[in-house]
Amino acid sequence: MENDNQILPIANLRQLLNLISPKKEPLIIKGKIFNYNIPINNTNFQSIDREFIFDSCVFNDRIDVVDDGMKNRYIFKDCTFSKRGTINLHNYSFEGKCRFLDNITLVIKEQGLYSFLEHEVKSLITVNGCISEVYFNIGDLNSYDKNNKINDEKSYGGFYFIGIFSEIIVAKSRLIQINFDPNCLIKNTICLTDSHINEFYAPRLDTHAKCDIYLSYIGKCDIYKNTVTQFRLIDIEESLIDYFKLMCDDPDVVKILKSTINNIDFYGNILSKNKIFILSSTVKNISFNSILNIGIISLNNVIMESGLFKIDNCNLGKIDFINCNFSEIKMIFLNSKISEAFLSLSSFPKVVFNENGIDYLQTRLMHGQLATASLKQGDNVSHLDFSSNELYAHYKTLKWFSSKIFQKFNLWLNYISNDFGRNWVQSTGFSIAIGFIFFLLLLTSIENYKLRYLDFKLLPALIKFLNPIRVYELDAIFNNTPIAGLKLNPRSYVIDFLGRIFLTYGYYQTIQAFRRFGRK
C-alpha cells in the first residue's frame, strides 16, 4: 500500500487483512490516516506470525493494542498518535521518530530490554511494568540539545511509571516530568544523564539500588517520605537543580558533587545509617527544617556567595563545615543546636535574621554554640572571634533603661574601647581620646583661665596627663607651660581622678586586645 496521506476506512482495513496471503513477508501500511479506533487483536489482525509495519501513519483516534497471544510483530515507524490509547509491548516496538500528542499507556508483561528512543513526547507516557526483570531505556527525546534554551516547556510531555523495574535510564532527553506510582519499585538503578527534566519525583529503591543524576538539569527534584521507601544511594554529579527537597531518613547515602543547586530543603531525621555529603558545589539557598541528626552531614567546599542559610528548630549533631565561606549570606537561625559541629576554615555571618529583621537573641545563641564547638576542637582563634560576636549580640539585646543598665554600660565600654577584645588599634585610639577629653575638662576647671583655642605649648602637659601612674602633683604637669602657677580647685582633682580611671581602663583594654591570641 503505497498511496500516502490517504484516509483508510475501517471496512477497507478489515477487507485488506482478510485478503492477506499466507506468505510471511512484512505487510507495510504507509502514510495512512486513521480517524477511528484501531483495536489490534485477533479479531482484526489474524495471528499468522507476520510482521506489520505502520510507516508514517497518523492515528487520530484511540489505538488499543492488546496481547491475545498473537504471534504477529507490530512496528510503528515515524507514526503520530493523537489520542489516548494502550499498547502492550509484547511483540510491539517504536522506530524512527514517533510523535505522542496524547496520553499513552505502555504495558510490559515480559522481561527484557525495552527502548524508547528519539521520539517526540508531547503528552504523558505511562509505563506499566508488571514483572521485575524489565530494563527500560529512554533517550534522545524531543530533539534534546543542552546548549539550546527551551522555548515552550509546556509543549513537552513526561513519563509515569507503575510496577517493578530492574533499571530505568533516561539520557539526552527533554521532559516536563518523571514520576512514579507510590508502589513502583526500582530493583537496581534509575539514572538520569545529560537531560533536562522539569520535575523529578523519586521512586522507591530496593536494597542496594541507587539513583544517579549526571550532567542534567532538574527543575524540581523531590525525594519525598514514603512509609515503605528503601532508598540506598542518591548520587548527583555535575548537575543543575533548581529545587531539591529531601526527606533525610529515606536514603542511606546522598552525595552531591560538583553541582549547582539553587534551593535545597532538608526535612525529617538523619538516622545513624544516613549520610549526606555536599562536596565542591554551589548552593544559593539551604534550609534545615526540624531535623534531628545522629548520622553524618558534611558540607565541604560549599560556595554560597549570596542567598539564604536557614536552620529552624534543629539538632544538627555532628555536622561538618569544611572550607565553607558563609560570611556574606543571610542567615536565619531559630532555637537550634550546633554546638557539636566540626568547623574547619569556615566562616559565618556576624548576625542572623528573622522575618522582622536582625535577631540578636538568636545571634547570641548561634555564635555562643559556634564558640563552644571551636574550643572543643582546639581552634582558639575562631573561638575568640565567635565569642566576641556573642558578646556584641548580647549587648544589642539589653536595654539602657532596665535592671541591667550597668551590664549594658559595661558591654558598651567593651564595644567602643576594643570591639570586645578584637581591635588594639581601636583601644589605643580610645585611650588617647579619653585622655584628651579629660585634659580639656581639666583646663576648663582652672581658675582665671579661659579655653579659647588649643595651644601647642600645652602638649607637654597633655603627655604628662596621659600617664595615669604619675607620682608628682597634678599642678606639676603644667610646669614650663603658659598656665604654670594657676590655681587648681577641687573640681580639677575630681576630673583628674576620673581621668586616671578611664585611662587605666583604656590601656588595659589595649593590652587585652594586643594579647588576644596569647592569653588563655
Side-chain angles (χ1 to χ4, degrees), residues 53-322:
I53 301 176
F54 293 88
D55 187 354
S56 303
C57 294
V58 178
F59 299 90
N60 288 328
D61 206 334
R62 288 183 61 91
I63 176 169
D64 293 296
V65 183
V66 299
D67 180 15
D68 286 349
M70 294 184 296
K71 298 180 180 179
N72 306 330
R73 184 169 184 265
Y74 301 87
I75 298 175
F76 299 94
K77 182 180 180 182
D78 297 322
C79 292
T80 299
F81 300 89
S82 301
K83 293 291 184 180
R84 296 173 179 263
T86 301
I87 299 177
N88 193 311
L89 292 185
H90 172 57
N91 289 342
Y92 300 87
S93 64
F94 302 96
E95 296 182 359
K97 185 175 182 179
C98 294
R99 300 176 71 237
F100 297 86
L101 306 182
D102 205 344
N103 298 346
I104 292 288
T105 299
L106 307 179
V107 180
I108 301 174
K109 291 187 176 181
E110 290 194 2
Q111 63 184 27
L113 173 63
Y114 297 84
S115 297
F116 200 85
L117 308 174
E118 300 182 356
H119 303 305
E120 186 175 344
V121 178
K122 302 286 188 179
S123 58
L124 180 65
I125 306 296
T126 299
V127 183
N128 193 337
C130 302
I131 58 176
S132 61
E133 295 300 320
V134 174
Y135 299 81
F136 197 85
N137 291 344
I138 301 172
D140 296 294
L141 298 189
N142 297 321
S143 302
Y144 174 70
D145 182 356
K146 65 181 179 181
N147 296 319
N148 290 338
K149 186 176 180 180
I150 295 179
N151 296 321
D152 184 11
E153 294 182 345
K154 293 183 179 180
S155 65
Y156 298 98
F159 279 83
Y160 185 79
F161 291 91
I162 301 173
I164 302 174
F165 296 84
S166 286
E167 181 179 88
I168 296 177
I169 296 178
V170 181
K172 294 184 178 180
S173 295
R174 181 188 306 169
L175 297 166
I176 282 291
Q177 182 184 106
I178 295 180
N179 202 351
F180 298 82
D181 181 80
N183 294 319
C184 183
L185 180 65
I186 308 301
K187 304 288 286 185
N188 294 318
T189 301
I190 176 168
C191 180
L192 311 182
T193 178
D194 203 13
S195 294
H196 188 296
I197 314 294
N198 277 26
E199 295 182 0
F200 174 67
Y201 298 90
R204 292 192 303 136
L205 271 67
D206 202 359
T207 306
H208 306 304
K210 63 178 182 176
C211 173
D212 296 331
I213 301 176
Y214 296 130
L215 299 170
S216 296
Y217 167 80
I218 309 294
K220 178 181 180 181
C221 183
D222 196 342
I223 314 297
Y224 53 85
K225 175 65 178 175
N226 190 311
T227 55
V228 291
T229 297
Q230 299 180 10
F231 287 115
R232 291 299 174 259
L233 171 63
I234 297 176
D235 192 353
I236 302 172
E237 187 171 344
E238 297 186 57
S239 295
L240 170 61
I241 298 178
D242 188 53
Y243 176 68
F244 181 60
K245 179 180 178 181
L246 174 68
M247 188 60 69
C248 296
D249 51 352
D250 283 346
D252 285 356
V253 179
V254 176
K255 185 173 71 173
I256 301 173
L257 176 64
K258 297 179 181 179
S259 297
T260 298
I261 302 180
N262 289 331
N263 301 278
I264 180 168
D265 286 347
F266 295 102
Y267 296 87
N269 297 323
I270 301 176
L271 308 178
S272 58
K273 67 182 181 69
N274 301 132
K275 301 176 180 65
I276 298 175
F277 301 96
I278 305 179
L279 312 171
S280 303
S281 296
T282 299
V283 181
K284 184 175 182 180
N285 300 313
I286 300 179
S287 179
F288 290 94
N289 303 278
S290 302
I291 285 178
L292 171 62
N293 173 35
I294 56 176
I296 295 176
I297 306 176
S298 180
L299 279 65
N300 191 331
N301 194 26
V302 175
I303 300 173
M304 292 187 70
E305 296 179 352
S306 61
L308 175 68
F309 196 144
K310 180 181 178 182
I311 303 176
D312 186 356
N313 287 284
C314 297
N315 180 351
L316 292 185
K318 296 182 179 180
I319 185 173
D320 296 342
F321 296 100
I322 302 173

Side-chain angles (χ1 to χ4, degrees), residues 422-434:
R422 286 184 286 195
N423 193 334
W424 65 269
V425 176
Q426 178 177 323
S427 59
T428 301
F430 170 82
S431 301
I432 295 174
I434 283 292

Side-chain angles (χ1 to χ4, degrees), residues 1 3-7 29-33 55-58:
M1 302 183 62
N3 295 326
D4 294 347
N5 299 323
Q6 292 185 2
I7 298 176
I29 304 174
K30 184 175 182 179
K32 302 305 175 184
I33 300 174
D55 187 354
S56 303
C57 294
V58 178

